[in-house]
Amino acid sequence: MALQAGIVGLPNVGKSTLFNAVSNSAKAQASNYRFCTIEPNVGQVDVPDYRMEKLAELVKPERIVPTSIEFVDIAGLVKGASKGEGLGNKFLANIREVDAIVHVIRCFEDENILREEGAINPVSDKEIIDTELQLKDLESVEKKIARTEKMAKTGGDPKAKVEFEVLKRCQAHLEQGKNIRELDLSKEEKTATADLFLLTEKPVLYVANVDEASLHSGNKFSKALEEAVKAEKAQVIVMNNTIEAQISEMEDPADKELFLGEYGLKEPGLNRLIRSAYQLLDLITYFTAGVQEVRAWTIHTGWKAPQAASVIHTDFEKGFIKAEVIAYEDFVKYGSESAARDNGRLRIEGKEYVVADGDVMHFRFNV
């Protein structure tokens, strides 16, 4: 399941530096000028999970296969992008294709790094991006309103009437300068806009890129950003993208641990970012554990056992019979599958079982 989080922000805020730090497989050019990134860079990123390491200690498999998500480094946005300024149309099209947004905002002062927007103001920077996405969404919504209005008002199509009412609510919300993700739409109501892939409906995670001195406590800029996004109930992660890029380039674990210690860090900030992005996409992990491999599998929250089995192979879902399930905590407590079974902690679950995060599973199927 190749779910993507798009890294966005104004030019020269540290997007490509963050991408280089977070990505295992791709490197983006990071330079001090506008539109350094033109074509989006895509990198696949392992999701750090201490549970996998613990399972591997117990099972001692031949290999360990973590789960992953994709990060996309998208070109910097400028004011007027919704009208095609800069690389606006291309930028917005790239955002439309991702599942969630990681919004990088500059929260540091450095006269050597270009900035065309004046004094450092993270709230204003956020609003520039928001406004451009809102304007593009408003354009999409108004086009669909024009298509559905006649059918809705003639009364011949009940579905069109419901869609029209939802679209009008979205229009009013956007005109107030608010994002669609803040609008309380039911699951049924969201079908009215599903075909529009609205930009401001996507879940968002903010990265406050701070200076080295503010790495632990944040600063006035990051605190202002946190206050500004309270209504969105969005998470703000404070980190220094340059330091994270340096950490990611270290191949020797001992060197990395020493470097982290010098900055008083228990783990890279990137680990927090990756885990938070994973959660933002409403994803959970289940495990398979055997002597050949311990592997993490990505599924959506709420998936039932047959759906979960399908990410291994579609035949597993088609011929699903049952699932053998051990909670992660029980597996660790008893130390092995056989010990968990002997102590009555291995459960047999059927088609209606909703998989829990951390379940250790084995599927029985017949095709």
Side-chain angles (χ1 to χ4, degrees):
M1 136 180 336
L3 292 168
Q4 294 185 330
I7 301 175
V8 307
L10 293 172
N12 300 322
V13 298
K15 299 184 310 301
S16 294
T17 302
L18 177 62
F19 176 82
N20 287 341
V22 80
S23 174
N24 296 342
S25 57
K27 292 293 179 185
Q29 185 179 0
S31 299
N32 188 22
Y33 59 87
R34 296 173 84 202
F35 309 129
C36 172
T37 301
I38 297 178
E39 293 298 329
N41 299 290
V42 180
Q44 189 159 303
V45 181
D46 292 341
V47 177
D49 195 325
Y50 71 91
R51 297 173 301 182
M52 169 168 268
E53 296 170 9
K54 186 62 180 178
L55 288 172
E57 286 178 18
L58 297 171
V59 178
K60 297 179 172 52
E62 294 175 9
R63 61 181 179 273
I64 303 170
V65 185
T67 190
S68 64
I69 59 174
E70 288 183 349
F71 279 84
V72 184
D73 180 31
I74 299 173
L77 181 66
V78 296
K79 188 179 291 186
S82 60
K83 303 301 180 186
E85 290 294 323
L87 298 171
N89 290 329
K90 187 176 185 63
F91 172 95
L92 294 166
N94 291 335
I95 294 180
R96 204 176 297 281
E97 294 174 3
V98 301
D99 303 288
I101 295 171
V102 176
H103 186 168
V104 182
I105 297 181
R106 179 171 171 174
C107 292
F108 65 90
E109 294 179 302
D110 187 337
E111 61 184 19
N112 295 316
I113 298 181
L114 293 175
R115 178 175 167 80
E116 298 181 2
E117 294 79 17
I120 302 299
N121 188 334
V123 177
S124 173
D125 289 359
K126 171 192 175 302
E127 290 172 350
I128 289 173
I129 298 278
D130 280 352
T131 298
E132 297 306 323
L133 301 187
Q134 289 161 8
L135 288 172
K136 200 66 180 177
D137 278 355
L138 186 58
E139 179 184 308
S140 300
V141 167
E142 289 177 340
K143 284 181 180 178
K144 188 166 183 180
I145 285 175
R147 295 197 303 269
T148 60
E149 185 171 14
K150 185 175 181 181
M151 290 185 292
K153 290 186 174 179
T154 57
D157 187 344
K159 181 182 175 183
K161 184 177 180 180
V162 173
E163 280 196 351
F164 181 73
E165 290 173 354
V166 173
L167 290 165
K168 291 297 286 184
R169 283 176 61 196
C170 291
Q171 181 186 38
H173 195 74
L174 291 164
E175 287 175 343
Q176 293 172 29
K178 297 179 180 179
N179 297 313
I180 294 298
R181 60 180 166 269
E182 299 172 61
L183 186 60
D184 188 23
L185 294 176
S186 68
K187 186 177 180 180
E188 292 73 22
E189 288 173 330
K190 286 181 179 180
T191 60
T193 60
D195 60 329
L196 300 179
F197 301 99
L198 295 177
L199 303 168
T200 66
E201 189 175 22
K202 297 181 185 295
V204 64
L205 172 69
Y206 295 96
V207 172
N209 187 13
V210 301
D211 56 12
E212 185 178 316
S214 307
L215 188 58
H216 292 285
S217 59
N219 56 28
K220 63 181 181 180
F221 301 124
S222 63
K223 287 178 171 57
L225 176 62
E226 289 171 353
E227 186 65 29
V229 305
K230 273 185 178 178
E232 298 182 48
K233 298 178 181 177
Q235 186 177 355
V236 177
I237 293 182
V238 175
M239 55 196 295
N240 179 289
N241 294 359
T242 302
I243 289 175
E244 295 298 330
Q246 292 173 338
I247 294 171
S248 71
E249 290 174 358
M250 295 181 178
E251 296 182 1
D252 188 332
D255 289 343
K256 186 175 290 190
E257 187 173 347
L258 183 63
F259 190 84
L260 287 168
E262 288 177 359
Y263 285 99
L265 299 171
K266 293 182 179 179
E267 65 173 353
L270 289 174
N271 287 9
R272 290 184 289 119
L273 171 63
I274 295 167
R275 286 195 295 264
S276 295
Y278 191 73
Q279 293 165 2
L280 189 68
L281 290 165
D282 198 26
L283 304 175
I284 62 172
T285 301
Y286 77 86
F287 301 98
T288 51
V291 292
Q292 288 189 327
E293 68 176 23
V294 167
R295 182 187 285 257
W297 301 91
T298 297
I299 61 172
H300 282 286
T301 301
W303 274 21
K304 295 180 179 179
Q307 287 177 286
S310 72
V311 301
I312 299 177
H313 198 288
T314 53
D315 285 348
F316 282 30
E317 180 177 20
K318 293 175 184 176
F320 179 89
I321 299 173
K322 63 181 180 180
E324 297 177 357
V325 184
I326 304 172
Y328 166 78
E329 292 78 10
D330 288 334
F331 199 106
V332 172
K333 178 180 179 180
Y334 294 105
S336 69
E337 178 181 325
S338 59
R341 179 187 288 108
D342 292 343
N343 284 275
R345 306 311 296 173
L346 186 151
R347 311 188 311 273
I348 304 299
E349 301 288 359
K351 293 182 178 180
E352 295 304 309
Y353 175 67
V354 177
V355 178
D357 186 40
D359 277 349
V360 182
M361 306 186 73
H362 180 72
F363 298 102
R364 300 292 184 187
F365 69 101
N366 183 27
V367 292

